[in-house]
PDB file of all heavy atoms in Angstrom:
ATOM      1  N   VAL L   1      61.832  70.807 -80.209  1.00  0.00           N
ATOM      2  CA  VAL L   1      61.086  70.774 -78.948  1.00  0.00           C
ATOM      3  C   VAL L   1      59.677  70.237 -79.186  1.00  0.00           C
ATOM      4  O   VAL L   1      59.163  69.434 -78.399  1.00  0.00           O
ATOM      5  CB  VAL L   1      61.043  72.167 -78.302  1.00  0.00           C
ATOM      6  CG1 VAL L   1      60.181  72.144 -77.035  1.00  0.00           C
ATOM      7  CG2 VAL L   1      62.449  72.646 -77.961  1.00  0.00           C
ATOM      8  N   GLY L   2      59.057  70.652 -80.274  1.00  0.00           N
ATOM      9  CA  GLY L   2      57.730  70.155 -80.602  1.00  0.00           C
ATOM     10  C   GLY L   2      57.734  68.658 -80.860  1.00  0.00           C
ATOM     11  O   GLY L   2      56.826  67.932 -80.430  1.00  0.00           O
ATOM     12  N   VAL L   3      58.764  68.175 -81.545  1.00  0.00           N
ATOM     13  CA  VAL L   3      58.892  66.739 -81.810  1.00  0.00           C
ATOM     14  C   VAL L   3      59.086  65.979 -80.495  1.00  0.00           C
ATOM     15  O   VAL L   3      58.424  64.969 -80.226  1.00  0.00           O
ATOM     16  CB  VAL L   3      60.064  66.464 -82.773  1.00  0.00           C
ATOM     17  CG1 VAL L   3      60.388  64.969 -82.840  1.00  0.00           C
ATOM     18  CG2 VAL L   3      59.738  66.992 -84.171  1.00  0.00           C
ATOM     19  N   LYS L   4      60.001  66.468 -79.666  1.00  0.00           N
ATOM     20  CA  LYS L   4      60.297  65.813 -78.385  1.00  0.00           C
ATOM     21  C   LYS L   4      59.048  65.693 -77.521  1.00  0.00           C
ATOM     22  O   LYS L   4      58.736  64.607 -76.992  1.00  0.00           O
ATOM     23  CB  LYS L   4      61.369  66.604 -77.640  1.00  0.00           C
ATOM     24  CG  LYS L   4      61.657  66.081 -76.238  1.00  0.00           C
ATOM     25  CD  LYS L   4      62.670  66.965 -75.513  1.00  0.00           C
ATOM     26  CE  LYS L   4      62.913  66.468 -74.088  1.00  0.00           C
ATOM     27  NZ  LYS L   4      63.901  67.316 -73.371  1.00  0.00           N
ATOM     28  N   TYR L   5      58.312  66.790 -77.378  1.00  0.00           N
ATOM     29  CA  TYR L   5      57.161  66.761 -76.481  1.00  0.00           C
ATOM     30  C   TYR L   5      55.969  66.032 -77.094  1.00  0.00           C
ATOM     31  O   TYR L   5      55.117  65.509 -76.363  1.00  0.00           O
ATOM     32  CB  TYR L   5      56.796  68.174 -76.046  1.00  0.00           C
ATOM     33  CG  TYR L   5      57.775  68.746 -75.047  1.00  0.00           C
ATOM     34  CD1 TYR L   5      58.187  70.066 -75.110  1.00  0.00           C
ATOM     35  CD2 TYR L   5      58.304  67.948 -74.024  1.00  0.00           C
ATOM     36  CE1 TYR L   5      59.096  70.593 -74.192  1.00  0.00           C
ATOM     37  CE2 TYR L   5      59.209  68.458 -73.113  1.00  0.00           C
ATOM     38  CZ  TYR L   5      59.602  69.779 -73.200  1.00  0.00           C
ATOM     39  OH  TYR L   5      60.502  70.278 -72.291  1.00  0.00           O
ATOM     40  N   SER L   6      55.895  65.978 -78.412  1.00  0.00           N
ATOM     41  CA  SER L   6      54.851  65.167 -79.042  1.00  0.00           C
ATOM     42  C   SER L   6      55.069  63.692 -78.719  1.00  0.00           C
ATOM     43  O   SER L   6      54.119  62.961 -78.394  1.00  0.00           O
ATOM     44  CB  SER L   6      54.860  65.382 -80.558  1.00  0.00           C
ATOM     45  OG  SER L   6      54.468  66.689 -80.896  1.00  0.00           O
ATOM     46  N   ILE L   7      56.328  63.243 -78.809  1.00  0.00           N
ATOM     47  CA  ILE L   7      56.649  61.855 -78.460  1.00  0.00           C
ATOM     48  C   ILE L   7      56.306  61.593 -76.998  1.00  0.00           C
ATOM     49  O   ILE L   7      55.697  60.570 -76.656  1.00  0.00           O
ATOM     50  CB  ILE L   7      58.134  61.559 -78.736  1.00  0.00           C
ATOM     51  CG1 ILE L   7      58.427  61.616 -80.240  1.00  0.00           C
ATOM     52  CG2 ILE L   7      58.523  60.185 -78.176  1.00  0.00           C
ATOM     53  CD1 ILE L   7      59.912  61.535 -80.576  1.00  0.00           C
ATOM     54  N   GLU L   8      56.679  62.530 -76.129  1.00  0.00           N
ATOM     55  CA  GLU L   8      56.418  62.350 -74.695  1.00  0.00           C
ATOM     56  C   GLU L   8      54.928  62.292 -74.402  1.00  0.00           C
ATOM     57  O   GLU L   8      54.477  61.454 -73.605  1.00  0.00           O
ATOM     58  CB  GLU L   8      57.062  63.492 -73.905  1.00  0.00           C
ATOM     59  CG  GLU L   8      56.887  63.357 -72.402  1.00  0.00           C
ATOM     60  CD  GLU L   8      57.618  64.428 -71.610  1.00  0.00           C
ATOM     61  OE1 GLU L   8      58.588  65.017 -72.150  1.00  0.00           O
ATOM     62  OE2 GLU L   8      57.228  64.675 -70.447  1.00  0.00           O
ATOM     63  N   ALA L   9      54.150  63.145 -75.046  1.00  0.00           N
ATOM     64  CA  ALA L   9      52.711  63.172 -74.791  1.00  0.00           C
ATOM     65  C   ALA L   9      52.058  61.861 -75.228  1.00  0.00           C
ATOM     66  O   ALA L   9      51.196  61.325 -74.526  1.00  0.00           O
ATOM     67  CB  ALA L   9      52.073  64.351 -75.524  1.00  0.00           C
ATOM     68  N   VAL L  10      52.467  61.346 -76.377  1.00  0.00           N
ATOM     69  CA  VAL L  10      51.904  60.077 -76.851  1.00  0.00           C
ATOM     70  C   VAL L  10      52.304  58.934 -75.925  1.00  0.00           C
ATOM     71  O   VAL L  10      51.475  58.124 -75.497  1.00  0.00           O
ATOM     72  CB  VAL L  10      52.348  59.791 -78.298  1.00  0.00           C
ATOM     73  CG1 VAL L  10      51.961  58.368 -78.704  1.00  0.00           C
ATOM     74  CG2 VAL L  10      51.717  60.792 -79.261  1.00  0.00           C
ATOM     75  N   ASN L  11      53.593  58.851 -75.586  1.00  0.00           N
ATOM     76  CA  ASN L  11      54.070  57.748 -74.750  1.00  0.00           C
ATOM     77  C   ASN L  11      53.445  57.764 -73.361  1.00  0.00           C
ATOM     78  O   ASN L  11      52.956  56.749 -72.865  1.00  0.00           O
ATOM     79  CB  ASN L  11      55.591  57.788 -74.630  1.00  0.00           C
ATOM     80  CG  ASN L  11      56.302  57.400 -75.914  1.00  0.00           C
ATOM     81  OD1 ASN L  11      55.679  56.882 -76.844  1.00  0.00           O
ATOM     82  ND2 ASN L  11      57.593  57.642 -75.979  1.00  0.00           N
ATOM     83  N   LYS L  12      53.469  58.909 -72.709  1.00  0.00           N
ATOM     84  CA  LYS L  12      52.937  58.985 -71.347  1.00  0.00           C
ATOM     85  C   LYS L  12      51.415  58.927 -71.333  1.00  0.00           C
ATOM     86  O   LYS L  12      50.814  58.463 -70.365  1.00  0.00           O
ATOM     87  CB  LYS L  12      53.428  60.262 -70.665  1.00  0.00           C
ATOM     88  CG  LYS L  12      54.916  60.224 -70.336  1.00  0.00           C
ATOM     89  CD  LYS L  12      55.348  61.421 -69.520  1.00  0.00           C
ATOM     90  CE  LYS L  12      56.819  61.307 -69.115  1.00  0.00           C
ATOM     91  NZ  LYS L  12      57.285  62.479 -68.339  1.00  0.00           N
ATOM     92  N   GLY L  13      50.801  59.378 -72.408  1.00  0.00           N
ATOM     93  CA  GLY L  13      49.348  59.332 -72.475  1.00  0.00           C
ATOM     94  C   GLY L  13      48.792  57.928 -72.457  1.00  0.00           C
ATOM     95  O   GLY L  13      47.662  57.693 -72.020  1.00  0.00           O
ATOM     96  N   LEU L  14      49.589  56.966 -72.906  1.00  0.00           N
ATOM     97  CA  LEU L  14      49.148  55.576 -72.902  1.00  0.00           C
ATOM     98  C   LEU L  14      48.957  55.051 -71.485  1.00  0.00           C
ATOM     99  O   LEU L  14      48.226  54.083 -71.269  1.00  0.00           O
ATOM    100  CB  LEU L  14      50.179  54.701 -73.640  1.00  0.00           C
ATOM    101  CG  LEU L  14      50.316  54.944 -75.143  1.00  0.00           C
ATOM    102  CD1 LEU L  14      51.506  54.166 -75.693  1.00  0.00           C
ATOM    103  CD2 LEU L  14      49.036  54.529 -75.868  1.00  0.00           C
ATOM    104  N   ASP L  15      49.646  55.664 -70.521  1.00  0.00           N
ATOM    105  CA  ASP L  15      49.628  55.171 -69.138  1.00  0.00           C
ATOM    106  C   ASP L  15      48.724  55.991 -68.227  1.00  0.00           C
ATOM    107  O   ASP L  15      48.736  55.810 -67.012  1.00  0.00           O
ATOM    108  CB  ASP L  15      51.052  55.185 -68.557  1.00  0.00           C
ATOM    109  CG  ASP L  15      52.006  54.316 -69.367  1.00  0.00           C
ATOM    110  OD1 ASP L  15      51.574  53.250 -69.836  1.00  0.00           O
ATOM    111  OD2 ASP L  15      53.175  54.719 -69.524  1.00  0.00           O
ATOM    112  N   THR L  16      47.949  56.892 -68.806  1.00  0.00           N
ATOM    113  CA  THR L  16      47.110  57.769 -67.985  1.00  0.00           C
ATOM    114  C   THR L  16      45.671  57.740 -68.477  1.00  0.00           C
ATOM    115  O   THR L  16      45.354  57.177 -69.532  1.00  0.00           O
ATOM    116  CB  THR L  16      47.611  59.225 -68.039  1.00  0.00           C
ATOM    117  OG1 THR L  16      47.439  59.718 -69.388  1.00  0.00           O
ATOM    118  CG2 THR L  16      49.072  59.332 -67.658  1.00  0.00           C
ATOM    119  N   SER L  17      44.785  58.367 -67.715  1.00  0.00           N
ATOM    120  CA  SER L  17      43.404  58.542 -68.164  1.00  0.00           C
ATOM    121  C   SER L  17      43.372  59.592 -69.269  1.00  0.00           C
ATOM    122  O   SER L  17      44.340  60.340 -69.471  1.00  0.00           O
ATOM    123  CB  SER L  17      42.526  58.999 -66.994  1.00  0.00           C
ATOM    124  OG  SER L  17      42.896  60.316 -66.599  1.00  0.00           O
ATOM    125  N   LEU L  18      42.255  59.665 -69.974  1.00  0.00           N
ATOM    126  CA  LEU L  18      42.122  60.663 -71.033  1.00  0.00           C
ATOM    127  C   LEU L  18      42.238  62.075 -70.465  1.00  0.00           C
ATOM    128  O   LEU L  18      42.900  62.937 -71.051  1.00  0.00           O
ATOM    129  CB  LEU L  18      40.779  60.490 -71.750  1.00  0.00           C
ATOM    130  CG  LEU L  18      40.545  61.384 -72.972  1.00  0.00           C
ATOM    131  CD1 LEU L  18      41.605  61.135 -74.048  1.00  0.00           C
ATOM    132  CD2 LEU L  18      39.143  61.136 -73.549  1.00  0.00           C
ATOM    133  N   ALA L  19      41.638  62.303 -69.304  1.00  0.00           N
ATOM    134  CA  ALA L  19      41.698  63.634 -68.689  1.00  0.00           C
ATOM    135  C   ALA L  19      43.136  64.001 -68.327  1.00  0.00           C
ATOM    136  O   ALA L  19      43.577  65.138 -68.547  1.00  0.00           O
ATOM    137  CB  ALA L  19      40.815  63.671 -67.445  1.00  0.00           C
ATOM    138  N   GLU L  20      43.883  63.039 -67.784  1.00  0.00           N
ATOM    139  CA  GLU L  20      45.280  63.296 -67.432  1.00  0.00           C
ATOM    140  C   GLU L  20      46.118  63.502 -68.692  1.00  0.00           C
ATOM    141  O   GLU L  20      47.049  64.316 -68.707  1.00  0.00           O
ATOM    142  CB  GLU L  20      45.834  62.129 -66.602  1.00  0.00           C
ATOM    143  CG  GLU L  20      45.236  62.038 -65.212  1.00  0.00           C
ATOM    144  CD  GLU L  20      45.620  60.759 -64.496  1.00  0.00           C
ATOM    145  OE1 GLU L  20      45.796  59.724 -65.158  1.00  0.00           O
ATOM    146  OE2 GLU L  20      45.731  60.794 -63.259  1.00  0.00           O
ATOM    147  N   GLY L  21      45.780  62.761 -69.743  1.00  0.00           N
ATOM    148  CA  GLY L  21      46.479  62.933 -71.008  1.00  0.00           C
ATOM    149  C   GLY L  21      46.261  64.322 -71.592  1.00  0.00           C
ATOM    150  O   GLY L  21      47.197  64.941 -72.115  1.00  0.00           O
ATOM    151  N   PHE L  22      45.022  64.817 -71.488  1.00  0.00           N
ATOM    152  CA  PHE L  22      44.731  66.174 -71.952  1.00  0.00           C
ATOM    153  C   PHE L  22      45.534  67.204 -71.164  1.00  0.00           C
ATOM    154  O   PHE L  22      46.056  68.174 -71.716  1.00  0.00           O
ATOM    155  CB  PHE L  22      43.232  66.482 -71.813  1.00  0.00           C
ATOM    156  CG  PHE L  22      42.369  65.866 -72.884  1.00  0.00           C
ATOM    157  CD1 PHE L  22      41.025  65.629 -72.643  1.00  0.00           C
ATOM    158  CD2 PHE L  22      42.892  65.528 -74.121  1.00  0.00           C
ATOM    159  CE1 PHE L  22      40.215  65.080 -73.621  1.00  0.00           C
ATOM    160  CE2 PHE L  22      42.091  64.973 -75.105  1.00  0.00           C
ATOM    161  CZ  PHE L  22      40.752  64.743 -74.856  1.00  0.00           C
ATOM    162  N   LEU L  23      45.624  67.010 -69.850  1.00  0.00           N
ATOM    163  CA  LEU L  23      46.358  67.948 -69.008  1.00  0.00           C
ATOM    164  C   LEU L  23      47.843  67.948 -69.370  1.00  0.00           C
ATOM    165  O   LEU L  23      48.466  69.011 -69.474  1.00  0.00           O
ATOM    166  CB  LEU L  23      46.173  67.584 -67.539  1.00  0.00           C
ATOM    167  CG  LEU L  23      46.875  68.503 -66.521  1.00  0.00           C
ATOM    168  CD1 LEU L  23      46.364  69.932 -66.645  1.00  0.00           C
ATOM    169  CD2 LEU L  23      46.660  67.983 -65.101  1.00  0.00           C
ATOM    170  N   LEU L  24      48.402  66.761 -69.579  1.00  0.00           N
ATOM    171  CA  LEU L  24      49.806  66.661 -69.987  1.00  0.00           C
ATOM    172  C   LEU L  24      50.022  67.360 -71.326  1.00  0.00           C
ATOM    173  O   LEU L  24      50.984  68.118 -71.497  1.00  0.00           O
ATOM    174  CB  LEU L  24      50.214  65.186 -70.091  1.00  0.00           C
ATOM    175  CG  LEU L  24      51.603  64.914 -70.671  1.00  0.00           C
ATOM    176  CD1 LEU L  24      52.695  65.484 -69.774  1.00  0.00           C
ATOM    177  CD2 LEU L  24      51.807  63.408 -70.873  1.00  0.00           C
ATOM    178  N   GLU L  25      49.120  67.117 -72.279  1.00  0.00           N
ATOM    179  CA  GLU L  25      49.232  67.743 -73.600  1.00  0.00           C
ATOM    180  C   GLU L  25      49.215  69.264 -73.480  1.00  0.00           C
ATOM    181  O   GLU L  25      50.035  69.959 -74.099  1.00  0.00           O
ATOM    182  CB  GLU L  25      48.090  67.268 -74.493  1.00  0.00           C
ATOM    183  CG  GLU L  25      48.126  67.833 -75.902  1.00  0.00           C
ATOM    184  CD  GLU L  25      46.937  67.358 -76.712  1.00  0.00           C
ATOM    185  OE1 GLU L  25      45.836  67.951 -76.558  1.00  0.00           O
ATOM    186  OE2 GLU L  25      47.101  66.401 -77.496  1.00  0.00           O
ATOM    187  N   ALA L  26      48.303  69.786 -72.679  1.00  0.00           N
ATOM    188  CA  ALA L  26      48.199  71.243 -72.515  1.00  0.00           C
ATOM    189  C   ALA L  26      49.460  71.817 -71.872  1.00  0.00           C
ATOM    190  O   ALA L  26      49.936  72.891 -72.263  1.00  0.00           O
ATOM    191  CB  ALA L  26      46.975  71.586 -71.671  1.00  0.00           C
ATOM    192  N   SER L  27      50.023  71.095 -70.905  1.00  0.00           N
ATOM    193  CA  SER L  27      51.230  71.567 -70.229  1.00  0.00           C
ATOM    194  C   SER L  27      52.414  71.598 -71.186  1.00  0.00           C
ATOM    195  O   SER L  27      53.187  72.569 -71.205  1.00  0.00           O
ATOM    196  CB  SER L  27      51.542  70.667 -69.034  1.00  0.00           C
ATOM    197  OG  SER L  27      50.495  70.695 -68.086  1.00  0.00           O
ATOM    198  N   LEU L  28      52.562  70.559 -71.976  1.00  0.00           N
ATOM    199  CA  LEU L  28      53.673  70.500 -72.920  1.00  0.00           C
ATOM    200  C   LEU L  28      53.480  71.507 -74.061  1.00  0.00           C
ATOM    201  O   LEU L  28      54.442  72.100 -74.543  1.00  0.00           O
ATOM    202  CB  LEU L  28      53.819  69.079 -73.472  1.00  0.00           C
ATOM    203  CG  LEU L  28      54.213  68.016 -72.438  1.00  0.00           C
ATOM    204  CD1 LEU L  28      54.224  66.626 -73.069  1.00  0.00           C
ATOM    205  CD2 LEU L  28      55.566  68.328 -71.815  1.00  0.00           C
ATOM    206  N   PHE L  29      52.231  71.708 -74.469  1.00  0.00           N
ATOM    207  CA  PHE L  29      51.935  72.725 -75.490  1.00  0.00           C
ATOM    208  C   PHE L  29      52.358  74.099 -74.984  1.00  0.00           C
ATOM    209  O   PHE L  29      52.935  74.903 -75.724  1.00  0.00           O
ATOM    210  CB  PHE L  29      50.440  72.713 -75.804  1.00  0.00           C
ATOM    211  CG  PHE L  29      50.045  73.607 -76.954  1.00  0.00           C
ATOM    212  CD1 PHE L  29      49.900  73.103 -78.234  1.00  0.00           C
ATOM    213  CD2 PHE L  29      49.814  74.973 -76.756  1.00  0.00           C
ATOM    214  CE1 PHE L  29      49.535  73.935 -79.293  1.00  0.00           C
ATOM    215  CE2 PHE L  29      49.467  75.810 -77.800  1.00  0.00           C
ATOM    216  CZ  PHE L  29      49.320  75.281 -79.078  1.00  0.00           C
ATOM    217  N   ALA L  30      52.089  74.364 -73.699  1.00  0.00           N
ATOM    218  CA  ALA L  30      52.453  75.653 -73.119  1.00  0.00           C
ATOM    219  C   ALA L  30      53.962  75.855 -73.117  1.00  0.00           C
ATOM    220  O   ALA L  30      54.452  76.968 -73.381  1.00  0.00           O
ATOM    221  CB  ALA L  30      51.906  75.746 -71.690  1.00  0.00           C
ATOM    222  N   ILE L  31      54.713  74.791 -72.833  1.00  0.00           N
ATOM    223  CA  ILE L  31      56.174  74.890 -72.874  1.00  0.00           C
ATOM    224  C   ILE L  31      56.626  75.235 -74.285  1.00  0.00           C
ATOM    225  O   ILE L  31      57.465  76.118 -74.494  1.00  0.00           O
ATOM    226  CB  ILE L  31      56.818  73.575 -72.398  1.00  0.00           C
ATOM    227  CG1 ILE L  31      56.510  73.341 -70.914  1.00  0.00           C
ATOM    228  CG2 ILE L  31      58.328  73.617 -72.616  1.00  0.00           C
ATOM    229  CD1 ILE L  31      56.952  71.990 -70.405  1.00  0.00           C
ATOM    230  N   CYS L  32      56.055  74.553 -75.270  1.00  0.00           N
ATOM    231  CA  CYS L  32      56.409  74.833 -76.670  1.00  0.00           C
ATOM    232  C   CYS L  32      56.106  76.283 -77.033  1.00  0.00           C
ATOM    233  O   CYS L  32      56.875  76.934 -77.758  1.00  0.00           O
ATOM    234  CB  CYS L  32      55.635  73.901 -77.606  1.00  0.00           C
ATOM    235  SG  CYS L  32      56.099  72.167 -77.541  1.00  0.00           S
ATOM    236  N   ALA L  33      54.991  76.794 -76.516  1.00  0.00           N
ATOM    237  CA  ALA L  33      54.559  78.153 -76.862  1.00  0.00           C
ATOM    238  C   ALA L  33      55.529  79.209 -76.358  1.00  0.00           C
ATOM    239  O   ALA L  33      55.540  80.335 -76.871  1.00  0.00           O
ATOM    240  CB  ALA L  33      53.161  78.410 -76.304  1.00  0.00           C
ATOM    241  N   GLY L  34      56.354  78.859 -75.372  1.00  0.00           N
ATOM    242  CA  GLY L  34      57.317  79.822 -74.847  1.00  0.00           C
ATOM    243  C   GLY L  34      58.698  79.715 -75.456  1.00  0.00           C
ATOM    244  O   GLY L  34      59.623  80.398 -75.008  1.00  0.00           O
ATOM    245  N   THR L  35      58.867  78.907 -76.499  1.00  0.00           N
ATOM    246  CA  THR L  35      60.193  78.689 -77.076  1.00  0.00           C
ATOM    247  C   THR L  35      60.489  79.672 -78.213  1.00  0.00           C
ATOM    248  O   THR L  35      59.576  80.232 -78.837  1.00  0.00           O
ATOM    249  CB  THR L  35      60.320  77.260 -77.632  1.00  0.00           C
ATOM    250  OG1 THR L  35      59.376  77.078 -78.705  1.00  0.00           O
ATOM    251  CG2 THR L  35      60.074  76.224 -76.554  1.00  0.00           C
ATOM    252  N   GLU L  36      61.773  79.805 -78.485  1.00  0.00           N
ATOM    253  CA  GLU L  36      62.202  80.603 -79.632  1.00  0.00           C
ATOM    254  C   GLU L  36      61.741  79.951 -80.941  1.00  0.00           C
ATOM    255  O   GLU L  36      61.436  80.651 -81.916  1.00  0.00           O
ATOM    256  CB  GLU L  36      63.726  80.746 -79.626  1.00  0.00           C
ATOM    257  CG  GLU L  36      64.259  81.600 -78.489  1.00  0.00           C
ATOM    258  CD  GLU L  36      65.774  81.718 -78.516  1.00  0.00           C
ATOM    259  OE1 GLU L  36      66.351  81.563 -79.610  1.00  0.00           O
ATOM    260  OE2 GLU L  36      66.374  81.961 -77.447  1.00  0.00           O
ATOM    261  N   ASP L  37      61.700  78.626 -80.948  1.00  0.00           N
ATOM    262  CA  ASP L  37      61.268  77.930 -82.161  1.00  0.00           C
ATOM    263  C   ASP L  37      59.814  78.238 -82.503  1.00  0.00           C
ATOM    264  O   ASP L  37      59.449  78.304 -83.688  1.00  0.00           O
ATOM    265  CB  ASP L  37      61.450  76.422 -82.005  1.00  0.00           C
ATOM    266  CG  ASP L  37      62.879  75.977 -82.273  1.00  0.00           C
ATOM    267  OD1 ASP L  37      63.695  76.828 -82.691  1.00  0.00           O
ATOM    268  OD2 ASP L  37      63.181  74.782 -82.073  1.00  0.00           O
ATOM    269  N   LYS L  38      58.973  78.428 -81.493  1.00  0.00           N
ATOM    270  CA  LYS L  38      57.582  78.794 -81.771  1.00  0.00           C
ATOM    271  C   LYS L  38      57.521  80.173 -82.428  1.00  0.00           C
ATOM    272  O   LYS L  38      56.787  80.397 -83.395  1.00  0.00           O
ATOM    273  CB  LYS L  38      56.763  78.764 -80.484  1.00  0.00           C
ATOM    274  CG  LYS L  38      55.306  79.212 -80.658  1.00  0.00           C
ATOM    275  CD  LYS L  38      55.117  80.635 -80.175  1.00  0.00           C
ATOM    276  CE  LYS L  38      53.655  81.052 -80.215  1.00  0.00           C
ATOM    277  NZ  LYS L  38      53.458  82.434 -79.733  1.00  0.00           N
ATOM    278  N   LYS L  39      58.329  81.117 -81.906  1.00  0.00           N
ATOM    279  CA  LYS L  39      58.371  82.452 -82.518  1.00  0.00           C
ATOM    280  C   LYS L  39      58.871  82.369 -83.955  1.00  0.00           C
ATOM    281  O   LYS L  39      58.326  83.009 -84.855  1.00  0.00           O
ATOM    282  CB  LYS L  39      59.284  83.371 -81.699  1.00  0.00           C
ATOM    283  CG  LYS L  39      58.787  83.662 -80.292  1.00  0.00           C
ATOM    284  CD  LYS L  39      59.773  84.531 -79.530  1.00  0.00           C
ATOM    285  CE  LYS L  39      59.315  84.772 -78.099  1.00  0.00           C
ATOM    286  NZ  LYS L  39      60.296  85.565 -77.321  1.00  0.00           N
ATOM    287  N   GLU L  40      59.921  81.567 -84.152  1.00  0.00           N
ATOM    288  CA  GLU L  40      60.480  81.414 -85.493  1.00  0.00           C
ATOM    289  C   GLU L  40      59.489  80.730 -86.421  1.00  0.00           C
ATOM    290  O   GLU L  40      59.307  81.149 -87.569  1.00  0.00           O
ATOM    291  CB  GLU L  40      61.783  80.606 -85.424  1.00  0.00           C
ATOM    292  CG  GLU L  40      62.320  80.123 -86.757  1.00  0.00           C
ATOM    293  CD  GLU L  40      62.692  81.232 -87.731  1.00  0.00           C
ATOM    294  OE1 GLU L  40      62.762  82.407 -87.310  1.00  0.00           O
ATOM    295  OE2 GLU L  40      62.902  80.917 -88.919  1.00  0.00           O
ATOM    296  N   GLY L  41      58.836  79.684 -85.934  1.00  0.00           N
ATOM    297  CA  GLY L  41      57.899  78.947 -86.781  1.00  0.00           C
ATOM    298  C   GLY L  41      56.712  79.777 -87.214  1.00  0.00           C
ATOM    299  O   GLY L  41      56.320  79.761 -88.389  1.00  0.00           O
ATOM    300  N   THR L  42      56.140  80.516 -86.282  1.00  0.00           N
ATOM    301  CA  THR L  42      54.984  81.345 -86.638  1.00  0.00           C
ATOM    302  C   THR L  42      55.400  82.522 -87.527  1.00  0.00           C
ATOM    303  O   THR L  42      54.685  82.880 -88.473  1.00  0.00           O
ATOM    304  CB  THR L  42      54.276  81.860 -85.365  1.00  0.00           C
ATOM    305  OG1 THR L  42      55.239  82.499 -84.503  1.00  0.00           O
ATOM    306  CG2 THR L  42      53.619  80.717 -84.614  1.00  0.00           C
ATOM    307  N   SER L  43      56.568  83.108 -87.230  1.00  0.00           N
ATOM    308  CA  SER L  43      57.054  84.219 -88.060  1.00  0.00           C
ATOM    309  C   SER L  43      57.339  83.753 -89.484  1.00  0.00           C
ATOM    310  O   SER L  43      56.988  84.436 -90.465  1.00  0.00           O
ATOM    311  CB  SER L  43      58.329  84.814 -87.455  1.00  0.00           C
ATOM    312  OG  SER L  43      58.078  85.376 -86.193  1.00  0.00           O
ATOM    313  N   ALA L  44      57.968  82.584 -89.597  1.00  0.00           N
ATOM    314  CA  ALA L  44      58.282  82.047 -90.926  1.00  0.00           C
ATOM    315  C   ALA L  44      57.014  81.741 -91.709  1.00  0.00           C
ATOM    316  O   ALA L  44      56.929  82.003 -92.913  1.00  0.00           O
ATOM    317  CB  ALA L  44      59.139  80.788 -90.779  1.00  0.00           C
ATOM    318  N   PHE L  45      56.012  81.197 -91.026  1.00  0.00           N
ATOM    319  CA  PHE L  45      54.747  80.882 -91.688  1.00  0.00           C
ATOM    320  C   PHE L  45      54.103  82.150 -92.225  1.00  0.00           C
ATOM    321  O   PHE L  45      53.656  82.183 -93.383  1.00  0.00           O
ATOM    322  CB  PHE L  45      53.806  80.183 -90.701  1.00  0.00           C
ATOM    323  CG  PHE L  45      52.465  79.833 -91.296  1.00  0.00           C
ATOM    324  CD1 PHE L  45      52.291  78.657 -92.001  1.00  0.00           C
ATOM    325  CD2 PHE L  45      51.376  80.695 -91.151  1.00  0.00           C
ATOM    326  CE1 PHE L  45      51.054  78.342 -92.558  1.00  0.00           C
ATOM    327  CE2 PHE L  45      50.146  80.397 -91.704  1.00  0.00           C
ATOM    328  CZ  PHE L  45      49.984  79.205 -92.412  1.00  0.00           C
ATOM    329  N   LEU L  46      54.048  83.184 -91.398  1.00  0.00           N
ATOM    330  CA  LEU L  46      53.402  84.438 -91.814  1.00  0.00           C
ATOM    331  C   LEU L  46      54.196  85.137 -92.913  1.00  0.00           C
ATOM    332  O   LEU L  46      53.617  85.816 -93.769  1.00  0.00           O
ATOM    333  CB  LEU L  46      53.236  85.365 -90.606  1.00  0.00           C
ATOM    334  CG  LEU L  46      52.267  84.862 -89.531  1.00  0.00           C
ATOM    335  CD1 LEU L  46      52.312  85.760 -88.298  1.00  0.00           C
ATOM    336  CD2 LEU L  46      50.840  84.779 -90.085  1.00  0.00           C
ATOM    337  N   ALA L  47      55.525  84.959 -92.897  1.00  0.00           N
ATOM    338  CA  ALA L  47      56.377  85.581 -93.919  1.00  0.00           C
ATOM    339  C   ALA L  47      56.525  84.703 -95.155  1.00  0.00           C
ATOM    340  O   ALA L  47      57.205  85.082 -96.109  1.00  0.00           O
ATOM    341  CB  ALA L  47      57.749  85.883 -93.325  1.00  0.00           C
TER     342      ALA L  47
END
């Protein structure tokens, strides 16, 4: 999910203003933060 949304943020950011790009990045970051992979990634890092 992080890979997918990183690609999307870069691609769509090329067609928007910097402010809109920041907003898109924050929105996609929030989606990532609610995933099981985020829980797994942070837990694995700490462990």
Side-chain angles (χ1 to χ4, degrees):
V1 176
V3 169
K4 175 184 178 180
Y5 286 140
S6 293
I7 294 172
E8 182 175 338
V10 170
N11 289 348
K12 289 187 176 179
L14 293 171
D15 301 323
T16 66
S17 68
L18 185 60
E20 291 171 328
F22 282 156
L23 181 60
L24 173 64
E25 181 182 81
S27 298
L28 295 176
F29 187 96
I31 294 173
C32 291
T35 63
E36 292 180 25
D37 278 354
K38 177 258 185 179
K39 295 178 183 177
E40 168 62 12
T42 52
S43 296
F45 179 85
L46 294 173

